[in-house]
Structure formats: structure tokens, C-alpha cells
């Protein structure tokens, strides 16, 4: 080992190589890796503890459901996070990973789940597996037979009496044992945990809230529909105080893969393509199971006359609504901004405060107010102008009404952004056009408007995308109506998003697979229009840059 000094600016050399003028190696390292403070260490421990707790909370359901791929992914993600934040390396990743995980959880995963649902028949009657469907079919066909056991019944919940899941508390007439039953079956309760009154009815039970007569009456239909599977059949209610153990008249036969009705002899054979039990005459049992149907949902949207006709008509109106809402609000907002931008205007601050009031109001409340203002008999619009227009009773008047509402709600935003863009345009440009002899209109068309469009095009594209899926504007005013007499699923003012909502949650039964397919169409349309618009915007920027 040797040391050599050769002047004030020399470096000290040793067997370890150059270290730096006057700085030991530990000091140089400290410049690159700042020491972790006590507060930072506490925060890191708390956050990593939360990660571990969430991972354990999520692991148990995955193990119970035997989702080994998901469990492996959970373990790998948790281990990766601990490695990342317990080592001093990969500094950029420490900041990027949280945002990436949130992006996957709240953006990528919902989109992928929606896309996967679009290829299934998921919906009412097709929610679970085939085994679940068989159990539901057999349980729903339970009938009381002569000599079947009857039980004293008390109806209870494990939560809120008005909304909690219902539970049957039944007392065996021979042994006096009390059991609790729900859709998953019966389970015996400890005698010390229940209080049994006269007639064998349970009056109290630990962990349950026994419903009184009024509370039970309010949920009588749910009580009637509840079926509790048992070893010999199933329990059903007979009124609000008695229950019977009946026998299922429909049974599944694995040999023929069919369901047979013991009373009528009718048979429904399993159809794997549709996830249903189908009889020879075409009758389908209401309860089926979830299966992959491929492109059937997309094909139905394009070819089924009952869906494709309303779909394409709704699509045209959807474009008209989105373009009209965006264009009209931009035109009015820009016109007002131009007027207040004139140096000859006085009191501009007061005008601006008054003009942005609609933007400051809650939109959902204003939509409800406007709905009442368009009322045919008592609305302000008809009474103020002496009209007798049934605004929401005719297709075109309803469409005009929702566009007017959108104009009132949307122009303040366009006014604000146009005001900001106008102030960014150099006055020398407009003054130069005046010197060249251009009129105010020519100056606006040749200079002001193009520069405004360059600045505001991204906001206009975003506004178009928002209005294309603006469910509140329709649902809180017209609810999609008016509806033709032959099609209660699709109204004159329906957007694709409200049409999809009605498909998914309508009174005719949920069709989540079909709704997911329509959602993909909506996504593709908005993405295509936005991509084309942004490309044209870049071309404009190149011209005016």
C-alpha cells in the first residue's frame, strides 16, 4: 500500500483506489443514500404492516376457494413490495410502483373483468355454477307432503331487521332442539344461547335479531321465497309462525344430465352451450348457470332485430347529443368570453361571477329542478311563455329539452376555459390583422378561432367523451323516455350508457354479459373518436406553432 501527495488538488490513492479529496468513503456514500429518519422508519413500518395485513386478509378467501394462481400472485406481489422498500436500491421504482398498482386495481382490472364478462351469459338465472343451479331448481320445487314435519318458526336476521339476511329459527316438535337455517342449510344452536317461548317459538337468540310481527310482515315475500336445504328435502315457511319440511318434486339425474318433474314426468336436459336446462318443447328452466358464450353477445347487438335496431338508433342520437352538448356549450361560452374580453366592456368581474353560477351549483340538483321546469302542466317554461308543449312526451321535444339543459349547465365551463385561452393570445396578432384592413369577423376567423381551437381541442375532446357517457343528464331528467309502446327497454333520449344500465338492471332481469358487450362497443367508439381527434389536434399545433 502506498500513499502519494502531489499538491493541493491531488487525490489520495491507496489499495482501494481513489476516494476523493479529503472525504472518507462513508461520507461519500452518505451523499448518495440519505439516512432514514426515525419518522420515516415509523411510516415505513406502518405501511408495510398494512401491506402484510391486507395480504393476510386476502389470502384466506383465496385458500378457501382454492384459487392457487391468485394466491401465488398475491404472495409474489407482497414479497416484491417488501423487497423493494426494505432495500436501498431501485429508488425510481419506489415512487412508480404504488401508482402502477392503483392503476392496475382501479383501471386495468375493471376493464379486463368487463371484457371477460362480455363473453359470458352472466346475469339473472346464470350467476353461479351448474351445481348451484341444480340445488336452486330442486329447492324451489319443494312442496309439502302429507305427514311432513312442521316446526314452530321465528324469523330473524343477523343484522338490520329491514335489510339483513333472513334466518329461520325453527324448533323441532319432538326433541325441542333449535336450529338456524338459511340458504346454506340448517345448523344446530346451543340450548343455552336461545330462549324458547310458549308454543316452541324462539323469542331470543344470541347473535340474531328476532323480527316482530310488523317487521316480518314487511318482508313477507322474502320469507316466502326463502328455502332452507335439509337432508330430507327443504324447509319452507307456512305463514309467519310455522315451517314445514317438504319434498322436491324436481330432481337432477346425472345419468341423463337432466331434471325430471316427478308429478308431470316432464324432463329438461342440460344445454352446455347456453347454460340452461331445456325441455323438448323448448321450455327453459329459469335457473341456469354461467358459461362462456363466445361472441354471441356481440352478434346479438349487431344482428338481433330487437337489439340492433334500438342500438343503432341510440348510437346516432348519442353522437348528436355528445356533439350538440359540446358544440353548443363551446359556442355560447366562447361568445360570452369574446364579449367580456373586449376592452370596451365595463363591470366584467360582476358579469363573470353571475355567469359561472350554473357551474357552481350541484349538477344533479339542477337537473331535477330543470325536469320540474319542463313539466307540461305546472312547469315554469310552459307557464312563462304560455306554451302547452308536452316536453317529455314527444321524442324531439324531449331531445331539445335535454340539449337546452346541457347548454345551461355546460356553457360556464367553456366560458372559463375560453377566457383563459383568449388572454394567452398576443394582442399584436389581432392588431396586425386590423392594420392589414381585416374586419373583426375576418380577424376572428383567421387568427383568434384557430388559436383557440389549438389550445382548447384537448378539452373539447374530453368534453365529448364525457357527454357521450353522461348518464346523469338523461337519467335525472327524462330517464331515457319517452318510450315507444312496443319497446319499453329503449327510449327516444336514451344514450348507450343508459341503454346499457337498463339492460343490466332493468325490470326484465339483469343481463350483465350483454351490458358488458355494449360497454365494450362504447369504449371502442369513444377511443376511436378521441384518437382521431387528438391526431388532428397535433396537426393543428404543427401548423400554428
Amino acid at each position: 500500500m502506498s500513499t502519494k501527495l502531489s499538491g493541493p488538488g491531488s487525490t489520495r490513492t491507496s489499495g482501494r483506489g481513489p476516494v476523493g479529496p479529503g472525504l472518507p468513503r462513508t461520507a461519500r456514500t452518505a451523499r448518495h443514500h440519505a439516512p432514514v429518519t426515525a419518522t420515516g422508519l415509523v411510516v415505513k413500518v406502518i405501511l408495510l404492516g398494512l401491506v402484510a395485513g391486507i395480504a393476510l386478509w386476502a389470502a384466506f378467501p383465496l385458500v378457501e376457494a382454492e384459487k392457487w394462481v391468485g394466491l401465488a400472485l398475491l404472495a409474489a406481489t407482497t414479497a416484491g413490495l417488501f423487497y423493494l422498500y426494505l432495500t436501498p436500491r431501485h429508488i425510481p421504482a419506489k415512487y412508480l410502483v404504488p401508482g402502477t398498482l392503483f392503476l392496475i386495481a382501479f383501471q386495468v382490472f375493471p376493464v379486463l373483468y368487463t371484457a371477460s364478462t362480455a363473453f359470458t351469459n352472466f346475469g339473472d338465472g346464470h350467476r353461479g355454477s351448474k351445481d348451484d343451479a341444480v340445488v336452486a331448481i330442486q329447492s324451489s320445487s319443494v312442496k309439502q307432503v302429507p305427514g311432513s314435519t312442521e316446526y314452530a318458526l321465528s324469523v330473524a336476521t343477523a343484522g338490520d331487521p329491514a335489510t339483513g339476511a333472513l334466518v329461520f329459527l325453527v324448533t323441532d316438535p319432538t326433541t325441542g332442539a333449535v336450529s338456524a337455517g338459511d340458504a346454506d342449510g340448517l345448523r344446530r344452536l346451543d340450548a343455552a344461547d336461545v330462549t324458547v317461548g310458549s308454543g316452541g317459538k324462539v323469542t331470543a337468540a344470541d347473535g340474531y335479531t328476532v323480527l316482530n310481527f310488523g317487521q316480518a310482515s314487511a318482508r313477507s315475500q322474502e320469507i316466502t321465497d326463502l328455502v332452507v336445504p335439509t337432508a330430507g328435502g327443504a324447509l319452507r315457511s307456512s305463514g309467519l309462525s310455522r315451517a314445514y319440511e317438504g319434498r322436491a318434486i324436481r330432481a337432477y339425474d346425472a345419468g341423463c344430465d337432466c331434471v325430471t318433474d316427478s308429478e308431470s314426468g316432464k324432463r329438461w336436459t342440460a344445454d352446455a352451450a347456453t347454460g340452461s336446462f331445456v325441455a323438448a318443447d323448448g321450455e327453459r328452466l329459469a335457473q341456469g348457470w354461467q358459461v362462456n358464450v363466445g361472441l354471441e353477445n356481440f352478434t346479438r347487438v349487431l344482428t338481433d332485430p330487437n337489439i340492433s335496431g334500438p342500438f343503432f338508433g341510440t348510437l346516432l342520437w348519442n353522437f348528436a347529443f355528445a356533439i350538440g352538448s359540446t358544440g353548443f356549450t363551446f359556442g355560447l361560452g366562447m361568445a360570452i368570453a369574446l364579449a367580456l374580453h373586449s376592452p370596451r366592456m365595463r363591470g366584467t368581474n360582476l358579469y363573470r361571477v353571475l355567469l359561472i353560477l350554473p357551474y357552481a351549483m350541484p349538477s344533479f340538483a339542477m337537473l331535477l329542478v330543470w325536469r320540474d321546469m319542463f313539466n307540461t302542466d305546472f312547469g315554469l317554461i310552459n307557464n312563462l311563455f304560455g306554451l302547452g308543449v308536452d316536453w317529455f312526451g314527444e321524442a324531439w321535444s324531449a331531445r331539445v329539452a335535454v340539449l337546452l339543459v346541457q347548454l345551461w349547465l355546460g356553457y360556464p365551463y367553456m366560458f372559463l376555459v375560453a377566457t383563459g385561452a383568449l388572454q394567452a393570445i398576443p394582442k399584436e396578432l389581432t392588431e396586425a390583422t386590423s392594420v392589414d384592413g381585416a374586419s373583426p369577423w375576418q380577424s376572428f376567423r383567421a387568427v383568434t378561432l384557430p388559436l383557440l381551437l389549438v389550445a382548447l381541442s384537448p378539452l373539447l375532446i374530453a368534453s365529448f367523451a364525457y357527454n357521450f357517457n353522461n348518464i346523469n343528464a338523461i337519467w335525472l331528467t327524462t330517464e331515457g323516455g319517452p318510450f315507444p309502446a312496443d319497446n319499453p327497454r329503449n327510449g327516444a333520449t336514451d344514450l348507450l350508457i343508459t341503454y346499457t344500465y337498463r339492460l343490466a338492471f332493468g325490470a326484465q332481469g339483469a343481463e350483465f354479459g350483454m351490458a358488458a358487450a355494449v360497454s365494450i362497443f362504447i369504449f371502442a367508439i369513444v377511443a376511436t373518436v378521441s384518437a382521431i381527434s387528438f391526431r388532428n389536434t397535433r396537426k393543428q399545433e404543427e401548423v400554428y406553432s
Side-chain angles (χ1 to χ4, degrees):
M1 179 182 297
S2 63
T3 302
K4 180 180 180 181
L5 297 178
S6 57
S10 65
T11 60
R12 178 173 56 86
T13 61
S14 66
R16 295 183 180 181
V19 176
L23 286 177
R25 179 174 295 276
T26 54
R28 186 187 61 171
T29 304
R31 291 188 304 175
H32 296 286
H33 301 290
V36 179
T37 64
T39 302
L41 183 61
V42 170
V43 171
K44 180 184 289 189
V45 170
I46 292 174
L47 292 178
L48 290 178
L50 287 175
V51 170
I54 293 172
L56 288 174
W57 169 78
F60 286 107
L62 291 173
V63 172
E64 184 177 358
E66 299 182 355
K67 303 291 186 181
W68 307 122
V69 175
L71 183 64
L73 183 62
L74 176 67
T77 303
T78 305
L81 288 173
F82 271 80
Y83 167 76
L84 178 64
Y85 289 100
L86 290 177
T87 61
R89 302 179 180 179
H90 313 296
I91 300 300
K94 295 180 190 294
Y95 296 94
L96 293 175
V97 165
T100 303
L101 291 177
F102 279 112
L103 176 67
I104 294 172
F106 296 107
Q107 292 288 343
V108 177
F109 178 75
V111 170
L112 293 178
Y113 181 77
T114 301
S116 65
T117 303
F119 296 93
T120 70
N121 64 344
F122 182 44
D124 282 350
H126 299 86
R127 293 175 180 262
S129 65
K130 186 176 181 180
D131 292 338
D132 296 332
V134 169
V135 171
I137 290 169
Q138 294 179 155
S139 299
S140 63
S141 68
V142 170
K143 286 188 176 181
Q144 187 171 12
V145 296
S148 61
T149 305
E150 289 197 358
Y151 301 83
L153 169 68
S154 295
V155 182
T157 71
D160 183 74
T163 59
L166 293 176
V167 178
F168 285 172
L169 301 178
V170 294
T171 306
D172 192 302
T174 56
T175 64
V178 177
S179 300
D182 54 22
D184 295 327
L186 279 175
R187 51 192 175 278
R188 182 74 63 87
L189 297 181
D190 194 326
D193 295 333
V194 296
T195 302
V196 181
S198 59
K201 284 177 64 67
V202 176
T203 57
D206 288 351
Y208 297 100
T209 301
V210 178
L211 305 187
N212 58 37
F213 181 80
Q215 293 168 334
S217 297
R219 305 184 66 179
S220 59
Q221 186 58 51
E222 296 177 69
I223 295 172
T224 301
D225 293 338
L226 180 58
V227 179
V228 180
T230 63
L235 278 178
R236 301 196 73 163
S237 65
S238 178
L240 298 178
S241 60
R242 308 294 294 176
Y244 64 87
E245 185 174 14
R247 180 175 58 85
I249 63 172
R250 291 179 179 174
Y252 175 72
D253 185 354
C256 64
D257 197 14
C258 62
V259 173
T260 304
D261 191 305
S262 60
E263 290 186 349
S264 65
K266 193 169 184 177
R267 178 178 294 180
W268 294 265
T269 304
D271 183 359
T274 61
S276 303
F277 288 99
V278 186
D281 59 1
E283 180 190 0
R284 296 176 184 267
L285 293 180
Q287 185 63 48
W289 62 97
Q290 184 176 338
V291 295
N292 191 317
V293 296
L295 297 174
E296 180 182 339
N297 290 325
F298 298 93
T299 304
R300 284 182 60 195
V301 172
L302 299 175
T303 60
D304 187 341
N306 295 325
I307 299 178
S308 61
F311 176 83
F312 287 110
T314 301
L315 178 60
L316 290 175
W317 158 242
N318 207 146
F319 270 107
F321 173 81
I323 294 172
S325 297
T326 305
F328 293 153
T329 55
F330 174 67
L332 180 59
M334 180 183 61
I336 297 174
L338 286 169
L340 296 183
H341 189 65
S342 172
R344 292 178 294 178
M345 280 293 295
R346 296 292 182 267
T348 55
N349 290 335
L350 176 61
Y351 285 125
R352 286 169 180 161
V353 170
L354 295 176
L355 288 170
I356 64 172
L357 282 179
Y359 191 57
M361 300 290 184
S363 60
F364 76 93
M366 292 297 98
L367 288 168
L368 295 176
V369 169
W370 274 97
R371 183 185 66 182
D372 291 338
M373 290 170 62
F374 279 110
N375 184 277
T376 304
D377 300 317
F378 310 106
L380 177 64
I381 303 297
N382 279 355
N383 290 335
L384 185 63
F385 297 101
L387 302 176
V389 179
D390 184 7
W391 289 99
F392 296 149
E394 300 294 334
W396 288 105
S397 60
R399 290 169 176 170
V400 169
V402 295
L403 286 174
L404 288 175
V405 174
Q406 281 301 102
L407 178 63
W408 187 83
L409 288 173
Y411 84 85
Y413 170 74
M414 294 298 180
F415 162 69
L416 289 174
V417 296
T419 299
L422 283 172
Q423 293 175 349
I425 297 176
K427 293 183 179 180
E428 293 80 4
L429 296 177
T430 54
E431 291 173 354
T433 58
S434 300
V435 171
D436 290 340
S439 66
W441 166 248
Q442 290 173 326
S443 176
F444 168 76
R445 188 179 62 180
V447 176
T448 306
L449 182 59
L451 292 176
L452 276 177
L453 291 177
V454 169
L456 301 183
S457 287
L459 296 177
L460 294 177
I461 296 170
S463 180
F464 170 85
Y466 173 79
N467 284 314
F468 200 88
N469 291 308
N470 193 349
I471 188 172
N472 286 342
I474 302 300
W475 202 261
L476 295 178
T477 51
T478 65
E479 295 184 356
F483 295 89
D486 59 343
N487 187 4
R489 297 174 106 185
N490 184 254
T493 57
D494 261 328
L495 305 179
L496 289 179
I497 189 66
T498 57
Y499 179 51
T500 303
Y501 180 84
R502 195 172 290 108
L503 279 177
F505 304 104
Q508 75 282 353
E511 297 183 56
F512 297 117
M514 176 62 68
V518 178
S519 298
I520 291 178
F521 276 112
I522 296 173
F523 171 78
I525 292 168
V526 174
T528 301
V529 172
S530 299
I532 295 173
S533 300
F534 275 119
R535 188 172 67 176
N536 292 334
T537 299
R538 284 195 294 270
K539 291 180 180 179
Q540 283 184 321
E541 291 175 352
E542 293 173 0
V543 171
Y544 290 95
S545 59

